[in-house]
Amino acid sequence: MTVTVTIEGSDLPGRVCGEGGGFPGYANVHVGVQRRGKPGELTGVTPGDAERAVWELECAARPGADGRTDLTGPYVQGGPGDRFVYLSWGDVGPAGFGMFRRAKLMLAAVDPEVLAEAARTGRLTARLGLTDAKGHPLCARVVPPAIEWTAP
């Protein structure tokens, strides 16, 4: 079965993120979804000052060994029971996309009932803000309540 995972990002940090608090600062900031095993290959690269960012990823859904719905696909990282999607932040310059941080959207943290409903309906939606408490691009492990997962 196929499940379309839609990631809706709001509150982007801006195209220029100044330095401070151990953050070196970057200009021409963009964000995209990283392909599994290919950190330099991104889809849906969006400027950091966009009103919002939306990505749609086609995934395969099947029952996992633990009874939970397991999602796989070209943009899903990790092994069974530890699946996630990387949002990669980079500074785009003459040499291309220079990644400087990533946010790890934990599919493994999605409520099992929501995953089961997604397998039935073919749709799973994530909603999250893309700016951290310091005003920088969101990074690290992202789990509820920082991200809301729903299946219509």
Side-chain angles (χ1 to χ4, degrees), residues 8-22:
E8 299 175 356
S10 60
D11 187 32
L12 279 80
R15 183 83 61 108
V16 176
C17 295
E19 62 183 87

Side-chain angles (χ1 to χ4, degrees), residues 93-137:
F97 188 93
M99 185 185 62
F100 61 82
R101 75 175 17 174
R102 295 188 289 199
K104 194 175 187 179
L105 310 185
M106 300 303 299
L107 292 167
V110 178
D111 182 291
E113 290 180 19
V114 172
L115 275 176
E117 181 66 14
R120 283 191 291 280
T121 64
R123 298 210 52 87
L124 178 65
T125 302
R127 291 180 184 88
L128 72 158
L130 296 176
T131 299
D132 70 14
K134 296 179 181 178
H136 298 143

Side-chain angles (χ1 to χ4, degrees), residues 62-66 68-72 76-83 108:
R62 62 178 180 262
D66 60 1
R68 286 176 46 105
T69 300
D70 188 29
L71 298 178
T72 59
V76 176
Q77 316 274 341
D82 194 36
R83 305 278 191 213

Side-chain angles (χ1 to χ4, degrees), residues 21-102:
F23 185 77
Y26 294 93
N28 207 16
V29 173
H30 286 67
V31 61
V33 176
Q34 179 185 312
R35 189 175 180 90
R36 182 183 65 249
K38 298 181 179 184
E41 190 174 322
L42 305 167
T43 189
V45 176
T46 304
D49 61 354
E51 185 175 316
R52 58 185 279 208
V54 178
W55 298 276
E56 289 200 348
L57 311 173
E58 294 299 316
C59 299
R62 62 178 180 262
D66 60 1
R68 286 176 46 105
T69 300
D70 188 29
L71 298 178
T72 59
Y75 295 94
V76 176
Q77 316 274 341
D82 194 36
R83 305 278 191 213
F84 61 93
V85 174
Y86 268 139
L87 294 185
S88 293
W89 292 94
D91 184 351
V92 177
F97 188 93
M99 185 185 62
F100 61 82
R101 75 175 17 174
R102 295 188 289 199

